[in-house]
Structures are given as C-alpha cells and as structure tokens.
Amino acid sequence: MKRLIFLTILFLTTLIGSSLQAQINTKVNLSFVEKVPAWMVENNVPAVGIGIIEDGKIKYIKVFGELKKCVPAPDNTIFNIASMTKPVVAMLTLKLVESGQWNLDEPLAKYWIDPDVAKDPMHKKLTTRHVLTHQTGFPNWRNGKLTFEFEPGTQYQYSGEGFEYLRKALEKKFNRPLANLLDSILFKPLAMKDTRYWDKNTDMLRYAHWHDSNGKEYKTTYETGVSAADLLLTTIEDYCRFSIDVINGAGLSQNIYNDMITPQVKLKEHYGRGLGWEVIKDLPNGEYVLEHSGSDAGVKTIFVLSPKSKRGIVILTNGDNGVFVYNNVIKESLDIGKTLLDYITGSDAHKITTLPNKILERYIGKYLDSYGRNLTITKDDSALKFSGTGLPTVKLFPETENKFFLKDFDVQFNFITDDSLILIANGKIDWTAKKIKDPTIIKLSDDILERYVGTYTRLDNNSNIFVKKEGDSLKLSGETVPSMDLCPIGENRFIAKGLGFQFEFIKDASNKIIKMNVSGNGKILCETKRIN
C-alpha cells in the first residue's frame, strides 16, 4: 500500500512538473504545487482545484486528482461550492443596490414575510444588511419552523436561512427566480458559462463527486434545487472571473464598495463581517482580505481576495478533509498566508494535558448532533479521534478532563457529561451532540411499507420528496435532499442508517398517511405533507 501511494505521488508530481513549464509571468512561487499530491493522499481528498489571480488577471489554473475513482479531473471540473454561493448572491444584491433597484436598509417585509414569523413583530425590522452581515436572528437552518432567536441587528449568528429569506424577497420584488437574476446580472456579463444550479444541462462528465474523510464516495443523487446559501456549481476559471470583478470594484460606487469591505460585525481581533464576506484587516503591507469558505458533505472550498494588491486565490475540493489541503495551499502560496490563517483561527493558547485511558474511554461512541449528523469518537493514543458525516477526521487533544481542542483551529470540544458535548467555534456554540445507540431494525410487511409510498411536499421550501418501496425498506429521494435508504424501527418510524435522521409517518383518524416528519437529535428538522 505504501509503495502504491508513493508511486501515485511520484506520477502526479511528474505531471505537475510538466504543467509548471507552461506557467509564465507568475509572481507566486509555484513550487508549492509539487506538494499538493502528497497533501491529497495524506487527507484522502480526490480532487483539488486551484486558481491564482495576479494584477487582476487569471495567472494559473490547475485541477489535480480525480472526479471519482479512476476518472481524471480536467481543469474545467465542475465543483459544488457550498456556502461560497453566499458572496455571489451578496454581489448580485449590491449590484441591484448600485442600480437603485434595491435598498440595503429597507425592511424585507415590504416584499416577503415568511408565514412562520408573520405574527412576530421582529420580522418588520429585518433588512438586507442584517442578512449580509448574519445578524438576522435566525438559526443557520430552521428546526421545522423558522423563529427569531434574537432581535435583528443585535447579535451575530451565521444563517443560511437569512439568505433564503433574502432570495424570496428578491424573487417577489422582481418576479424572477434567483437563478435568472444571477444569470442575467452576473454570470453572462462575466462570461461565467459553467456556473449554474443543477439543471438538465449540467455536465456530469466533468462533475467532482463528493467524498468523505476516508476518500469514499458519498452515495448521492444530484437533484435540482436553488438556494441563496448553497448548491451553486462552478469551475475554478468561472469563480476566478467573479473574483476579478470583485477585486476591480464590481461596478460599485466607492461608497457602496467601502460599505461592503468595512467590518460591520467584529468576530475577533483583525477579523469581522462585511456585506457578504469575512474581512481580515491589519495584514502585512497594509493589506486587507475578503474571504469566504464553503462546507457541505464531501465539499470544502475557500477563496481569498486582496483588492489592494489585486490578487487572490480560489481553492475548491471534493473531500471532507479538503480544509487541511487548502490551508496548506494558502500558507505556502501567499506571503501573507500564515498571518491570514493565524488571524482567522486566533492564537493557540491551549496546552495538552495527559489523561488516563479510563477517562478518554468515557467519550468513545457514536453521537448525533443538532444538525442531524452522525458523529464517531474513538481513542487515538493519548487523544481522541473525531469524524462525522460531512466533517473532516481530526484529532482532539485534551486540555482538561472534559475539554479538548483541535490544533491550528479555533475549535473546542467540551463534554458536558460522558454522553453529551458541545462544539465551540470562534468563541460561539456551533452545535451540540448526544451519544446514541443504533435502533434495532425490524421487518415490516409489504402492505405496511406500501402505505408510505408517495410524494410529500416540504413545508419550509415547497420542494418535493419522493418515497418508494425497495425490498424490505423504503427509498427516499427529492429535489433538495440526497437519496437515502429508510430502514424500519417501528411500524411508522424509520431511520436513515449512517445519517442519523429519523422519519415518522403521521396518519389521520381514518388511518390515511397525511404527513412525514424528519427528526435529528430529538428535534424536528423538517415537516412535510403528503400530496398523493
């Protein structure tokens, strides 16, 4: 196995060396790319795309590795960019502000009111500025019903729901779907020919399939869906074109551009939130950086732009451990890279302590977090090893008997009890988790399974979910959800093995199935109604 890995690295390095011969007039020391194959193998990341911008122009584009096993990745590979969708939607919105068609501080209630918050007077205070700076008061994603957790504008809390709220307001105002607005105002003018949401024209022969932290491909079907917070597809070249537009001012007035790059929420020293971006200040040579990352299951992405020196880097990966690869790239490709990462993660003041095995073993097991993801904790020498659905595999080092930390990241794992923990990122609680035991799978008759076959509509976004019978279980797929197998654990309750979600089918007084609820970690994550 070691010999195979060595030969793979050697082969890829040879190819890279050949490609470097064609790179000219590039200020960046490209010697770092010779290390990329080793970083990919070390972290089980099949494909990594890198784009380098200098003097406001694309100077280097390369995609390393494979779309999936045995399928080489071309330089025009199509990646899902996850939350890097948000800056694109932010820029669309700012261009509408520049043209006088939108107002940053006008209440969104003028155009859209979510039925879940219609009776809460705080919806009248919600503005686009709150969305772009993540001060809406919404959670990242609703647990069945959308609620305000604090008054808009008073606190910071990252929220995909906020961007979805903005999407619905934009679509109501202009009577056009978000995809159409983006295409006409951004994608076509910038010649971003490969950037779109899932549709029938998506070239799956160039698509980077998603992989877990072990390099195993996720079993996923790719369905259509539009979100202002996620799901956008693009290439390295296209996102570089978008980045260059931002570096060159994006056609915005100086006042609006200054508003965009001004930290309006301080997250930590040197690091805050502008309009749609993280803004990192006080870098060497008086530089500042606009940055945003993305994270979905099997997807880890980031881009960094420095408008002052008109340079930047775009890095897209198709593996849960991609964050470790792109951090290495940033550190070695940019002269400000190490300082930049230090500002993002904060100073590492943690000290490793030694704990006896009996304490470490308390925390070993399977967990389900507040996002409905399956997590696993095992013992790894004198530390713990953590992995989870859509998350990188990392080593947790003990600081106290119940507090652990992740090296080089501002992330702490605090065990409240032996079977529950909270994750703190950037000084704030990101999620909680509880230890679980896998429910016992039972067998149901074909007649009972057939009761649940049909089409269901999500109450939060009106997208459809399809349930069909397959063998002794059910198969679920949908417009905005991955395909998954549902195994029965009760007459009307099912579990998606390996994902941690539970599904409960609800019937009315006449025993007719009328809805399906999706739960995780004891909370309802999604409610649906049956439509046939």
Side-chain angles (χ1 to χ4, degrees):
M1 178 60 73
K2 289 184 178 178
R3 176 173 173 78
L4 177 61
I5 291 173
F6 171 77
L7 290 174
T8 301
I9 294 172
L10 181 63
F11 175 68
L12 289 174
T13 302
T14 302
L15 289 179
I16 293 164
S18 299
S19 70
L20 284 178
Q21 302 301 318
Q23 303 302 323
I24 58 175
N25 300 324
T26 304
K27 298 175 185 176
V28 170
N29 180 359
L30 289 177
S31 62
F32 79 90
V33 302
E34 297 177 356
K35 303 177 183 179
V36 172
W39 294 335
M40 292 167 64
V41 171
E42 177 185 353
N43 293 288
N44 299 314
V45 179
V48 175
I50 301 173
I52 292 175
I53 299 166
E54 289 180 352
D55 301 321
K57 298 177 181 178
I58 299 173
K59 285 298 180 79
Y60 176 83
I61 286 177
K62 180 66 181 175
V63 177
F64 306 86
E66 299 178 327
L67 302 176
K68 59 180 181 177
K69 189 174 182 179
C70 299
V71 181
D75 287 344
N76 63 348
T77 290
I78 296 170
F79 289 88
N80 169 23
I81 58 171
S83 287
M84 275 171 53
T85 303
K86 293 182 178 75
V88 176
V89 174
M91 186 52 62
L92 163 72
T93 307
L94 292 175
K95 286 178 181 285
L96 291 170
V97 172
E98 178 64 39
S99 64
Q101 300 178 76
W102 197 254
N103 188 317
L104 276 173
D105 300 302
E106 182 179 49
L108 292 175
K110 182 175 179 180
Y111 307 107
W112 167 255
I113 301 173
D114 190 290
D116 286 354
V117 298
K119 295 181 180 180
D120 190 325
M122 285 196 286
H123 81 264
K124 299 176 182 178
K125 299 182 179 182
L126 184 63
T127 68
T128 299
R129 188 181 298 274
H130 296 145
V131 171
L132 300 187
T133 56
H134 291 282
Q135 298 182 90
T136 59
F138 295 141
N140 190 17
W141 297 111
R142 68 182 79 194
N143 284 325
K145 183 177 180 180
L146 184 63
T147 57
F148 285 101
E149 297 185 350
F150 53 84
E151 181 181 331
T154 61
Q155 297 180 46
Y156 170 84
Q157 180 168 272
Y158 190 84
S159 175
E161 286 289 353
F163 272 76
E164 279 294 88
Y165 207 104
L166 174 61
R167 172 177 70 85
K168 291 172 182 175
L170 288 169
E171 291 178 338
K172 284 287 186 180
K173 163 74 183 291
F174 296 102
N175 195 29
R176 296 166 65 188
L178 177 66
N180 182 275
L181 288 168
L182 286 167
D183 192 56
S184 62
I185 296 173
L186 272 180
F187 301 158
K188 283 182 179 175
L190 296 179
M192 296 169 65
K193 62 182 183 301
D194 283 321
T195 303
R196 57 165 56 89
Y197 292 95
W198 292 105
D199 62 24
K200 63 182 180 181
N201 296 316
T202 302
D203 186 355
M204 292 304 296
L205 296 178
R206 290 190 284 136
Y207 185 73
H209 294 245
W210 312 338
H211 296 78
D212 66 18
S213 59
N214 295 312
K216 182 180 178 182
E217 185 180 351
Y218 279 110
K219 184 180 179 181
T220 309
T221 57
Y222 307 104
E223 309 287 352
T224 58
V226 173
S227 168
D230 202 340
L231 301 180
L232 194 63
L233 308 181
T234 193
T235 62
I236 287 288
E237 181 176 354
D238 273 13
Y239 212 88
C240 282
R241 290 179 183 274
F242 167 73
S243 301
I244 289 169
D245 186 51
V246 174
I247 286 173
N248 290 332
L252 303 179
S253 68
Q254 197 60 52
N255 284 341
I256 293 177
Y257 195 85
N258 287 342
D259 207 10
M260 180 185 81
I261 65 174
T262 299
Q264 305 193 23
V265 180
K266 183 176 180 180
L267 302 180
K268 61 181 71 174
E269 192 67 25
H270 315 294
Y271 183 62
R273 272 276 175 185
L275 295 177
W277 319 80
E278 281 90 12
V279 183
I280 297 98
K281 296 274 193 176
D282 309 319
L283 290 163
N285 302 318
E287 290 204 65
Y288 70 92
V289 154
L290 305 177
E291 176 267 330
H292 207 290
S293 60
S295 177
D296 278 344
V299 174
K300 298 293 179 283
T301 62
I302 195 169
F303 74 117
V304 173
L305 307 180
S306 180
K308 181 179 178 181
S309 58
K310 293 189 178 297
R311 59 177 174 155
I313 188 165
V314 177
I315 310 168
L316 309 178
T317 81
N318 67 338
D320 280 340
N321 283 345
V323 60
F324 303 117
V325 177
Y326 72 55
N327 275 358
N328 285 336
V329 173
I330 290 171
K331 194 180 300 182
E332 297 211 12
S333 65
L334 299 176
D335 55 350
I336 60 174
K338 186 178 184 308
T339 303
L340 174 63
L341 292 176
D342 287 344
Y343 284 178
I344 292 174
T345 61
S347 59
D348 187 3
H350 303 284
K351 292 183 179 180
I352 298 175
T353 190
T354 301
L355 295 178
N357 287 337
K358 65 179 182 179
I359 292 180
L360 294 173
E361 288 168 358
R362 292 179 191 169
Y363 309 124
I364 293 172
K366 293 183 178 181
Y367 292 74
L368 188 66
D369 75 5
S370 47
Y371 289 118
R373 298 175 297 197
N374 261 11
L375 316 175
T376 301
I377 294 178
T378 58
K379 184 176 173 296
D380 188 346
D381 296 326
S382 57
L384 297 175
K385 189 175 183 179
F386 169 89
S387 61
T389 305
L391 299 169
T393 296
V394 295
K395 200 168 185 176
L396 309 182
F397 295 91
E399 186 172 21
T400 68
E401 183 172 322
N402 69 319
K403 294 183 180 180
F404 293 72
F405 67 95
L406 181 59
K407 282 185 177 179
D408 300 323
F409 294 88
D410 189 7
V411 175
Q412 292 84 47
F413 290 72
N414 293 352
F415 290 88
I416 307 305
T417 63
D418 292 354
D419 61 0
S420 65
L421 65 92
I422 60 173
L423 179 134
I424 300 173
N426 297 318
K428 294 182 178 292
I429 295 176
D430 192 345
W431 47 257
T432 62
K434 292 183 179 180
K435 191 178 288 187
I436 59 170
K437 292 182 179 180
D438 288 334
T440 301
I441 305 299
I442 65 173
K443 186 171 182 178
L444 296 178
S445 68
D446 289 347
D447 288 345
I448 293 177
L449 291 173
E450 290 287 353
R451 294 178 191 172
Y452 310 122
V453 172
T455 302
Y456 299 76
T457 296
R458 291 178 58 165
L459 300 185
D460 55 350
N461 62 17
N462 294 321
S463 65
N464 287 334
I465 293 177
F466 310 103
V467 176
K468 65 180 182 179
K469 180 180 174 298
E470 190 170 281
D472 293 333
S473 61
L474 299 175
K475 172 74 76 172
L476 179 145
S477 61
E479 298 171 349
T480 58
V481 297
S483 176
M484 59 187 79
D485 297 317
L486 308 186
C487 301
I489 58 174
E491 183 170 325
N492 67 326
R493 292 188 301 120
F494 294 73
I495 186 170
K497 290 185 68 175
L499 296 177
F501 301 122
Q502 291 199 24
F503 299 77
E504 183 178 11
F505 292 89
I506 311 297
K507 58 187 178 182
D508 61 14
S510 63
N511 287 326
K512 180 181 179 181
I513 303 301
I514 57 172
K515 65 180 182 177
M516 174 181 67
N517 292 338
V518 185
S519 302
N521 206 13
K523 297 179 180 179
I524 294 178
L525 304 176
C526 170
E527 293 181 276
T528 74
K529 65 178 180 180
R530 191 174 188 177
I531 60 174
N532 71 359

